[in-house]
Amino acid sequence: MDFSLKTAASGVKTKANVFVLPAHESTTLPSIVDEIDKSLNGQITIRQKSKRLRLKNGQVNGFTVVEKASWSDVILAGSKKGASQRDWIAFTTAVFNALKLAKAGSVVIDLTQVDAALSEALLIQLLAKTFVEVSYQYDTTLSDKKDKLLLKKVHLIVSSANAANKHAAELGRSMGLGANVAKQLGNLPGNVCTPSFLAKEAQGLAKSYQKVSTEILTEAQLKKLKMGSLLSVTAGTDEPAKVIVMKYQGDKASQKPVVLVGKGVTFDSGGISLKPGARMDEMKFDMCGAASVFGTMKAVAELGLKVNLIGVVGAVENMPSGCATKPGDVVTSMSGKTIEVLNTDAEGRLVLCDLLTYVEKFKPKAVVDIATLTGACVVALGHHASAVYSNDDDFQMALKKAGDVVYDRAWPMPLWDEYDEQLKSAFADMGNIGGPDGGSVTAACFLSRFAKNYTWAHMDIAGSAWQKKKASGRPVGLLTQYIIDQI
Ligand code: BES
Ligand code: MN
Ligand code: ZN
């Protein structure tokens, strides 16, 4: 999908299948639509002016144009005055669906008629992101393939086709592409999306983008690095674990990188602390943190941003077997700290803690780990927000703010000592669980013990990464926006 910006004069002359007019009661018809309106006996004006027929945000009304015009259809689309991010995303989703129904290959959308509480650049960014995201459909493992998307050209009429607005379209498009990468990896079944599959995915990214390079660490190398905690998770499976390192170098080598660390448990059965059967299939999504690292890499590489970004993914499968780690086993992490594995289902933190030690070698500017870490996070925040924890208040707020901008929201959570004390163990430096209360917080406290030497944040995306068995592509938008905000 290609986005181009036009001013009103050139926009109305641009040939396309459909013209979309965002409408609220005080929308003024552009003169060319005015003529069409006359040919339709004023139906457009009537619809738009009549209180009874007034379109709510996201409701659409289509007209076939009989007169000679640059387009064969006009769609009137209700847009709320003072629209928020949420309203605007609902609007753009509805417009996209209407265009799909109309089998449109090209469209002109008049953004000058929009009255929103957002800048024009942000309107463009969110429209592009939404259009690319809603065009994603999963059909990889289905015999009946979904229809190919026809919409190729999106022309936006804006008040000024300046560099900032052009950049906004690029940002939105790239964020959308990145989110779609995350969705696709998340949706793939666990027998396809294995640690080895993720490693190949990283090599594919490095092939596609000159500034991306990748290194795959095998179990033998992980043993040498003394990642005893991560390796304890993979003990019960036949799938070889991989630690995947992706480097995007867009700035001078002397510039410190932002490091993203993703939980890539390609299937989480719980291990010996086996999960109940109901909805266990959803644990194929337990690599969505890793998927968001891939997606953010994709977005940043696509944009060619002037930053250094490193993505590290811990890809493992958590299975029970005769060789699996048992409750009560004590393992030694790469940091030297010992951990009593009281529950083999609290495996994400066992993977991440070694990666958090490993990434110290990159002398990071900041580290964010992203993980579908706890069911408790879903209880706390539902599916609407990711939880964000940090050892730096400004960093925590910068991540929250980035999420607010692109409507990929995160909510700040505490890392208090009282919670941390719940991790006490009689047989090791710490246990891997903190009891039944405050589960998302104690998991974050566990991780914080391994992230003392740099600015760090943890995002628990257990609620936000998927919903109704569909991966959401979150928090690629938040992470990419955060990186952009740093430039
Ligand atoms: N991957 C799960 C967390 C999860 C569960 C995410 C449900 C989304 C939906 C994680 O590995 C896990 O099993 N956590 C345990 C921790 C507990 C044993 C302390 C949990 O949340 O039950
Ligand atoms: Mn688990
Ligand atoms: Zn898990």
Side-chain angles (χ1 to χ4, degrees):
M1 213 182 304
D2 175 66
F3 296 90
S4 72
L5 303 187
K6 312 264 168 197
T7 51
S10 70
V12 289
K13 283 192 221 118
T14 303
K15 286 225 182 320
N17 299 131
V18 180
F19 183 89
V20 174
L21 182 67
H24 43 78
E25 60 277 26
S26 44
T27 298
T28 51
L29 289 191
S31 58
I32 186 121
V33 179
D34 210 18
E35 280 167 38
I36 290 165
D37 190 35
K38 275 183 202 129
S39 79
L40 292 165
N41 297 326
Q43 284 190 73
I44 297 179
T45 330
I46 293 165
R47 287 271 185 312
Q48 178 205 329
K49 292 258 164 73
S50 153
K51 272 219 165 70
R52 194 164 52 82
L53 294 172
R54 192 172 298 153
L55 297 169
K56 288 213 178 77
N57 190 65
Q59 284 180 328
V60 294
N61 212 320
F63 303 88
T64 299
V65 177
V66 274
E67 294 289 289
K68 264 205 171 154
S70 307
W71 339 283
S72 42
D73 289 276
V74 171
I75 291 176
L76 198 61
S79 88
K80 193 164 153 184
K81 273 194 152 194
S84 64
Q85 271 99 336
R86 185 184 184 200
D87 300 324
W88 182 241
I89 291 166
F91 170 90
T92 50
T93 304
V95 167
F96 180 89
N97 289 331
L99 293 171
K100 203 167 145 187
L101 263 182
K103 297 198 174 359
S106 54
V107 63
V108 177
I109 308 174
D110 187 357
L111 295 190
T112 61
Q113 298 298 331
V114 174
D115 176 335
L118 318 170
S119 68
E120 188 165 57
L122 190 53
L123 286 178
I124 296 166
Q125 183 183 329
L126 291 178
L127 181 142
K129 178 174 183 281
T130 307
F131 268 37
V132 172
E133 279 209 45
V134 292
S135 68
Y136 169 81
Q137 321 184 76
Y138 180 85
D139 64 8
T140 314
T141 46
L142 296 174
S143 307
D144 276 342
K145 298 298 174 193
K146 303 263 166 73
D147 290 341
K148 280 262 169 312
L149 183 77
L150 297 173
L151 187 62
K152 291 275 168 334
K153 293 248 166 235
V154 180
H155 306 281
L156 303 176
I157 300 182
V158 293
S159 63
S160 156
N162 58 22
N165 282 346
K166 281 190 183 139
H167 187 55
E170 258 318 291
L171 291 184
R173 195 185 69 88
S174 305
M175 278 183 190
L177 289 176
N180 289 352
V181 165
K183 286 188 223 175
Q184 174 65 5
L185 292 174
N187 287 333
L188 282 171
N191 61 333
V192 173
C193 185
T194 58
S196 308
F197 180 94
L198 287 177
K200 286 211 188 82
E201 182 74 18
Q203 283 159 341
L205 264 181
K207 258 209 179 120
S208 310
Y209 298 97
Q210 208 216 318
K211 290 177 186 165
V212 178
S213 60
T214 190
E215 186 188 356
I216 313 293
L217 304 178
T218 61
E219 284 184 12
Q221 289 167 294
L222 303 179
K223 265 184 206 126
K224 270 198 197 132
L225 287 164
K226 297 194 159 61
M227 293 201 189
S229 181
L230 182 148
L231 287 167
S232 76
V233 177
T234 196
T237 179
D238 293 335
E239 285 292 341
K242 310 277 177 195
V243 167
I244 301 161
V245 182
M246 292 171 276
K247 289 187 181 166
Y248 168 84
Q249 198 186 326
D251 203 351
K252 290 187 290 258
S254 57
Q255 293 300 307
K256 289 182 170 178
V258 170
V259 178
L260 304 179
V261 175
K263 172 180 174 183
V265 175
T266 57
F267 187 73
D268 179 14
S269 69
I272 296 296
S273 313
L274 194 64
K275 286 182 180 295
R279 294 175 63 179
M280 206 208 266
D281 60 295
E282 294 187 15
M283 284 299 114
K284 72 170 184 179
F285 292 118
D286 213 16
M287 35 56 70
C288 282
S292 76
V293 175
F294 281 99
T296 307
M297 269 284 157
K298 165 87 182 176
V300 168
E302 187 70 21
L303 287 163
L305 295 179
K306 193 168 182 275
V307 287
N308 292 332
L309 177 68
I310 297 179
V312 180
V313 161
V316 295
E317 191 180 68
N318 185 24
M319 293 291 272
S321 85
C323 335
T325 299
K326 306 171 292 298
D329 287 0
V330 173
V331 300
T332 304
S333 65
M334 185 181 176
S335 71
K337 294 185 182 83
T338 59
I339 304 161
E340 186 182 13
V341 181
L342 289 162
N343 189 320
T344 64
D345 197 12
E347 85 298 341
R349 63 200 80 182
L350 296 174
V351 172
L352 292 172
C353 72
D354 278 343
L355 300 182
L356 290 174
T357 303
Y358 179 74
V359 301
E360 278 184 24
K361 74 176 207 168
F362 300 123
K363 301 194 172 27
K365 187 174 138 202
V367 177
V368 189
D369 77 68
I370 311 103
T372 48
L373 205 60
T374 65
C377 184
V378 192
V379 175
L381 296 173
H383 297 288
H384 308 302
S386 307
V388 58
Y389 299 86
S390 180
N391 59 11
D392 181 305
D393 291 348
D394 292 338
F395 187 37
Q396 190 178 32
M397 279 306 132
L399 289 167
K400 181 191 176 291
K401 199 183 129 248
D404 289 341
V405 169
V406 291
Y407 204 64
D408 178 0
R409 292 176 299 175
W411 197 252
M413 300 277 276
L415 283 171
W416 297 331
D417 291 344
E418 287 84 345
Y419 292 105
D420 187 77
E421 285 162 16
Q422 291 177 225
L423 295 167
K424 274 205 184 101
S425 155
F427 298 100
D429 299 341
M430 66 197 91
N432 76 329
I433 56 173
D437 303 330
S440 177
V441 187
T442 53
C445 288
F446 179 96
L447 295 176
S448 76
R449 295 179 177 215
F450 300 85
K452 297 255 184 260
N453 297 332
Y454 46 72
T455 304
W456 161 82
H458 158 61
M459 296 190 65
D460 194 336
I461 59 164
S464 57
W466 79 92
Q467 213 178 336
K468 300 194 178 120
K469 313 235 185 226
K470 281 197 167 109
S472 66
R474 295 174 66 185
V476 170
L478 178 152
L479 293 168
T480 309
Q481 186 64 45
Y482 167 76
I483 291 162
I484 290 161
D485 290 346
Q486 302 314 299
I487 301 170

